[in-house]
Amino acid sequence: MRLKSPVPLKPPVPPKSPVPLRSLVPPALCVLLFALLTWQVAAGGPLSALDVRIGHALRPYAPSPAAELGADLGNLEVALPVLAVAASWTAWRGARARARRWWLPPLTAALAMTTVPALVGPLKVWLGRPGPFGPAEGYGWFPSGHAATAVVAYGAAALLLAPTPRRTMPHPPLEPKGDGTLRVPADAVDGPSAPTARRTLTRRRTLAPSRTLARRLVAAAAVLVNLGVGAGLVLRGYHWPLDVVGSWALFGGLLWVAGPVISRRGPGPRPPRASPVPGSPDR
C-alpha cells in the first residue's frame, strides 16, 4: 500500500499592480510651481515684487519669541537629530522583527536629506536673490534652506514613525472533497466566479481606529512644525515668503516620491526555510 503525502497549499501570489498615474500628479504640480516661482524670482516678475511687499508688511507684526522659536526649528542642529532618532528606531525595530529590507526606509530618508544641500546651495548661488536684510556677496536667499531642512527632516520622520496599514491576503474559498481534503473550486479559476475569486486574492490594507488616529496626529504634527518654521522665517525677516513656498514645493514633491518607500515596513518577517516533505515508503 502506497501512502500519498499531502501537498501543502501555497498562498496565492497577487499580480503586481502598476503605479497609478494619478499618484504622479502632486509631485508634477509641485515641480511646476517651483519652476514658476524660480522664473519669477530670476526675472524679477510681478510675483517677486508682490512677495517683497508682503514680507515688508508682515515684519512689524512679528511676535519675536514665537517666531524665533519657529525659525530655530529649521536649523540643521535641531531637525537632523529628530530624523536620526526616527531612522534609528525604525531600523532597530525592523531588524528586531527580521523584516525584509528593513534598512530601506531609513536609508531612503537619509538619502532624501542629502538632497537639501545638494540642491539648495547651487540654486542660491545661481539665482543670487537678495534677502530682507540686503544682498549677500556670492550667495542668495531662494529657496530657503531652513524650510527645505524642515520639510525633509520632519516629513520623513513622520513617515517613519506613523503606523502603516497591515497587509492581509486571504485564501480563496475552499470546498471539501470526498476523501476529507480541501480543494479550490473549479469555477474559482475558470468559471463565472473567477473575477470574484481574483479580487479575493488581492492584498487588503487594514488599519485599526487607534492606529488611524495616531497616523493623523503624526502627520498633523509634521505639518504644524513646517508651518511654524515658515512663519518664523518670514516674520523674523530671514526670508521672503516665496523663499519658503519654493522650498515647500520642491522638497514636498521630492518627499511625495520617496514617501512610499520611507513609510513601508517590509512584507513582514522572513519565512522559515522550507524543508522537503519526506515521502512514505512502500509497504
Side-chain angles (χ1 to χ4, degrees):
M1 178 179 179
R2 183 181 179 87
L3 299 178
K4 296 182 179 180
S5 58
V7 179
L9 292 175
K10 295 182 178 180
V13 179
K16 293 183 178 180
S17 58
V19 178
L21 293 179
R22 64 176 178 271
S23 64
L24 302 178
V25 173
L29 293 178
C30 289
V31 172
L32 291 177
L33 176 60
F34 179 75
L36 173 64
L37 298 181
T38 304
W39 167 56
Q40 286 292 299
V41 169
L47 284 181
S48 179
L50 178 62
D51 179 48
V52 172
R53 290 197 297 269
I54 293 176
H56 284 307
L58 291 176
R59 286 179 60 185
Y61 304 99
S64 298
E68 189 69 30
L69 175 62
D72 289 342
L73 291 177
N75 288 335
L76 194 63
E77 295 81 2
V78 179
L80 189 58
V82 174
L83 179 59
V85 170
S88 301
W89 181 84
T90 303
W92 172 80
R93 187 179 180 185
R96 184 183 180 186
R98 302 187 63 196
R100 297 179 185 177
R101 296 184 294 275
W102 56 266
W103 45 267
L104 188 57
L107 177 61
T108 305
L111 292 178
M113 195 65 204
T114 60
T115 61
V116 173
L119 295 177
V120 171
L123 285 171
K124 285 187 172 184
V125 174
W126 172 49
L127 294 172
R129 187 190 193 190
F133 294 107
E137 184 178 355
Y139 205 66
W141 300 92
F142 180 90
S144 168
H146 283 67
T149 300
V151 168
V152 178
Y154 299 120
L159 290 173
L160 290 170
L161 298 177
T164 56
R166 295 178 179 177
R167 296 178 177 180
T168 59
M169 188 172 61
H171 291 282
L174 303 177
E175 65 180 15
K177 294 175 60 176
D179 56 357
T181 60
L182 299 176
R183 69 179 180 88
V184 180
D187 61 347
V189 181
D190 300 320
S193 63
T196 305
R198 294 192 186 99
R199 286 196 297 268
T200 308
L201 301 182
T202 59
R203 292 182 182 267
R204 299 175 180 174
R205 291 177 176 267
T206 58
L207 195 62
S210 59
R211 294 170 64 87
T212 302
L213 178 60
R215 185 179 181 88
R216 292 175 179 175
L217 290 177
V218 171
V223 172
L224 290 177
V225 169
N226 276 277
L227 290 176
V229 171
L233 293 173
V234 174
L235 294 177
R236 290 294 295 156
Y238 298 139
H239 278 284
W240 303 115
L242 284 189
D243 301 343
V244 176
V245 177
S247 293
W248 286 350
L250 177 60
F251 292 95
L254 184 145
L255 199 62
W256 182 281
V257 174
V261 181
I262 299 175
S263 61
R264 69 185 295 275
R265 295 293 185 270
R270 298 186 182 95
R273 184 170 298 178
S275 58
V277 179
S280 301
D282 295 336
R283 292 183 182 271

